[in-house]
Structures are given as C-alpha cells and as structure tokens.
Amino acid sequence: MTKRVLAFDFGASSGRAIIGCFDGDKITLEEVHRFSNDPVSVGGTVYWDVLRLFYEIKQGIIKAKIAGGFDSIGIDTWGVDFGLIDSEGKLMENPVHYRDARTIGLVDEAFKTMPKEKLYGITGIQFMELNTLFQLISLKKYRPWMLERADKMLFMPDLFGYMLTGKMCAEYSIASTSQLIDLDKRTWSKEILNAFGIKESIFAPLVQPGTVLGELSKEICEECGVDPVPVISVCGHDTQSAITSVPCEDGDFAFLSSGTWSLFGTELDKPIVNETSMNINITNEGGFDGSTGFLKNIIGLWLIQESRRQWKREGKEYSYADLEKLALAAEPFKCFIDPDAPEFVPHGNIPERVREFCRKTGQYVPETVGEIMRCIYESLAMKYRLTFEKLRECTERDYPVIHVIGGGTKDGLLCQMTANSCDRTVKAGPIEATVMGNVAVQLMSDGSVENIGQARKIVADSSELKTFEPTDTDKWAKAYKDFLKVT
C-alpha cells in the first residue's frame, strides 16, 4: 500500500506543506501549500510571525486532506529560536528572530562566566551570537521577568507540534543547536544552566528523532476536518533532516547543504571535540539514530538573495538566472569577500557592503551587477574549500566526493565552482533534501522503511542527481591564495 505522510518544512524566507508518497520503492513529493515566512520588526525587536505561520500549517493540513489525505505529520524548521510558554500553557510572546540584535556582544561576555574551552568542551557547538544560550543570557540580563514567568521553553518545531497536539517535548537534533546539551551525557547540561542561572525546569523532556509526539488534538481535527493522525518528532532541525537524505550508502561522505545558509560537514558516529575543532569553530549536532552532524555554518545563498532584494528596491528586476549569466560574463578572480564577515549577516544593502569590504581590504572594487555577483559566487566557493580543508584536518579522512544537497543544487554555477575550488567531484541532489529527510524519518518511525541505509537508497532512487567534475583547478588554487589574504 502507498504510504502518504505530510512534511512541513520552514526555511528562513518561506514554508511549504509537502505530501511524501512512498510506494515501497520510491518517494514522490507533492507540494500542496507554499507560503512566505516574513520576520516582523516591532519596536526595535525582530520577531517571527508565529501565529500566521501556524495558520499556514492548518491551511496545509486542509489542502493535504483535499489532495488525498495523509497518515502522519512531521515538522522541521531553522535552529536555535524558541517560544516561551507560561504556567497556563499560553505562548508568552512571538518568538524573537535569530537575526535580532539582542545577542550582540554576549558571546565574549559569556566567556567571563564560563571559559570558552569549557563551554565548547561540554557542548561541542560552534560559537555564534544567535545560539539559544546567548538568547537566554540576553533575556536573563535585560528581561528577567520573562524567564521567571516561563514554565517551558519550546524550540520552533516543538512549539508547532505543541500547538497541534498539546504535547511538549524537546527533539534532540533541534535541542542540540542550543549550546545547552551535554554531549557526553546527551542531556541538558546542569553545569551550564547553573553557571548562567537558567532554571532547568523550563526545558521539556528530550526525545530522539522518530518519536511520536502525539495525535492531532480534537480542536485541530474539528477545525481542519481531518481524523486524528500522529505527529512525529522528525529531525526538527532542517540541517539534520537534510543530512538524513544524503544519497550515499557507504556512510562516509562530505556534504554541503546549500540554501540561505550553507552547512558543510560530514556525519560521524561520535562527536569530535578537541582544541583543533574549537579553534576551527566547528559544530557537533545531534542527528538521526544517535549520529553526529559534524559541520560548520557558513553564510550561503543569503548573499545572493539579499542582493537581489536590494536591486529590486532600486527598481532593477533580476531573476536568479539573470544574475548567474551576469556573473559568468564578468572577469574571474578580481576580488573576494569573507562571506562570514559580520557585516553580511543583517538585512540590507549587500552589494554596497561587498564594495566596502573590497575597498577596505585594498582590492579591486566591483561596480557592475555581474562583478558583484562574480565576487560573491567565487568567495562562497573559496570559503567552501577553506572549510573542506579544516573538515579533513579534524576527521583525518579524505572525501573524494562532495554531496551538494538542498535548493542550492539548482544553481549549477555554484556547484561547478565548488567542484573547481575544492578539486573534488560534486554530486548534486536531491533538491528537496530537507523534505526528503523529514519524510524518511516519518517512514522509519512507523516501520515502512527499516533503517537509514535503506532510506538513503530510496532517496537516491527517487532523485535526479547531477555530477560536476572539477576544471581549471590550477587557476582556482592560485586564486585561493588571494582569497586567504582577506579572511
């Protein structure tokens, strides 16, 4: 019998409801609902519009019912953000967006309470200002009454699951992004919570990916006109959902999950936490079946997306295909940026920030749209090479193939540049990696698929994969030396 499961996938700018149909051999995807995910700035704070997003979830359920129904639901989202629930079970305020400014400067301040080496040694998590720990430190410092009144803190996929079922949990993959998990004990770190004065009682019980959270509540069933079905706590962190779908059967692979953010890494049986990994600032996140996603966050297609929005604000309409063509026509290797420089994180005029970065680093200053796009594309590919070299240093492994997964696989130019820069074969696909992983965990949860190995083979058989072989590697290697001067 065909199994039909409903996957909700929330990205940084949009969300989708997609039915995954499994016939025993292949998975096919049917998008039934798509909606924007727009942060809202009010009074100097940037929030997620969580009530509208939950409305869109209910619309997705209704449309999925009309499209033929479904047997279960799974939700994945971005990491680190959360909602606070009071003692009556009510959401206290809209969750604050990770790009909000409330955590600026708090990483160094946190190190005064717990040294960097100790904090990394417990959690193995990359230091980023947006991490949940620093968001909680901000609340403790500036709005302590919020934490005092809070009964529970729920990460975004768990919050949506709670809204659907009335049940609370903390799914392990999303919880591991918080910098609050003890890697060795696989529990909330009492040492960190005590050091920063955060009460342990606000954290929900940890559950592993594939756990049944509960069934749709009576209220939701009546409102949407559906029967109760289980809501599965899939890998709630979208990165870990994507890793679950990497179409590699040998279990030893390098991946680049390419979207608004780029996540470059591998999957390990055990975390790597040492001085080298700390200095590289690489992260160990919980994955399916006890695995560890060993990876580094890099700003990704955000640079292209936000540049396009800026040009649109200036009255210039470019498709992504237009921008790719303009980049291809521009002269190569004239200038570089460090994609992870802090000035590129906030919303705003990315093209001008690119020019300013090149100006202050004594490089050629790009002027045309094509020159700016060429600079961004090449800089991303070079950053991938730098990260790939550090990954190999930490794992002491060599990876002959890089699997590029996610929406960025549609960008053939970036895939080819990645192959050229890293001097590795790139295999691109699936495009819908996160949704495929979400679907796969639901299918493994109910026994329709036996294990992760079978799931990855099914994903490979169900996807159109493209191969990019490296070219002009000598030229890229020479230009890489120039890139390193500005990072």
Side-chain angles (χ1 to χ4, degrees), residues 149-309:
R149 289 183 50 213
D151 183 64
K152 284 290 179 286
M153 186 201 85
L154 296 177
F155 297 99
M156 296 307 299
D158 304 325
L159 177 61
F160 290 133
Y162 168 64
M163 291 175 169
L164 289 175
T165 67
K167 307 293 184 182
M168 295 188 189
C169 79
E171 185 276 318
Y172 191 78
S173 76
I174 197 75
S176 73
T177 68
S178 66
Q179 209 147 47
L180 293 164
I181 294 289
D182 185 314
L183 270 184
D184 290 335
K185 299 176 182 177
R186 298 178 70 83
T187 60
W188 300 110
S189 171
K190 294 180 184 293
E191 190 170 4
I192 292 174
L193 297 179
N194 289 338
F196 291 100
I198 302 168
K199 59 184 182 183
E200 187 177 358
S201 62
I202 68 170
F203 298 98
L206 290 162
V207 302
Q208 291 301 310
T211 301
V212 177
L213 173 62
E215 289 192 333
L216 288 179
S217 68
K218 181 179 179 182
E219 176 189 356
I220 296 295
C221 290
E222 289 178 352
E223 181 179 351
C224 299
V226 296
D227 295 325
V229 298
V231 176
I232 311 296
S233 291
V234 298
C235 291
H237 188 207
D238 51 10
T239 300
Q240 295 303 320
S241 269
I243 294 172
T244 302
S245 74
V246 172
C248 181
E249 297 173 49
D250 63 14
D252 190 12
F253 56 83
F255 70 85
L256 170 59
S257 180
S258 180
T260 300
W261 287 89
S262 293
L263 300 310
F264 204 134
T266 188
E267 185 178 72
L268 303 174
D269 293 332
K270 295 180 179 179
I272 296 177
V273 181
N274 54 36
E275 187 175 354
T276 300
S277 65
M278 182 187 71
N279 290 337
I280 292 170
N281 201 22
I282 201 163
T283 204
N284 294 267
E285 293 180 3
F288 184 77
D289 199 22
S291 65
T292 294
F294 188 64
L295 57 97
K296 189 165 179 64
N297 287 51
I298 307 165
I299 286 185
L301 300 181
W302 161 259
L303 295 169
I304 298 172
Q305 295 162 350
E306 190 67 3
S307 292
R308 181 171 176 257
R309 281 189 282 268

Side-chain angles (χ1 to χ4, degrees), residues 99 302-316 318 337 341-359 365-369 372-373 376:
R99 292 191 190 274
W302 161 259
L303 295 169
I304 298 172
Q305 295 162 350
E306 190 67 3
S307 292
R308 181 171 176 257
R309 281 189 282 268
Q310 176 61 33
W311 285 315
K312 186 175 181 179
R313 288 190 286 267
E314 296 172 1
K316 305 167 188 174
Y318 297 106
I337 60 169
E343 57 262 41
F344 297 121
V345 175
H347 294 270
N349 192 338
I350 296 296
E352 182 54 38
R353 293 175 198 168
V354 169
R355 295 188 191 98
E356 179 56 29
F357 185 96
C358 293
R359 192 176 294 116
V365 178
E367 294 298 333
T368 69
V369 171
I372 292 168
M373 290 306 303
I376 290 173

Side-chain angles (χ1 to χ4, degrees), residues 90-102:
K90 306 297 184 184
L91 183 65
M92 293 171 61
E93 68 173 0
N94 276 16
V96 176
H97 193 290
Y98 62 78
R99 292 191 190 274
D100 184 75
R102 66 177 174 169

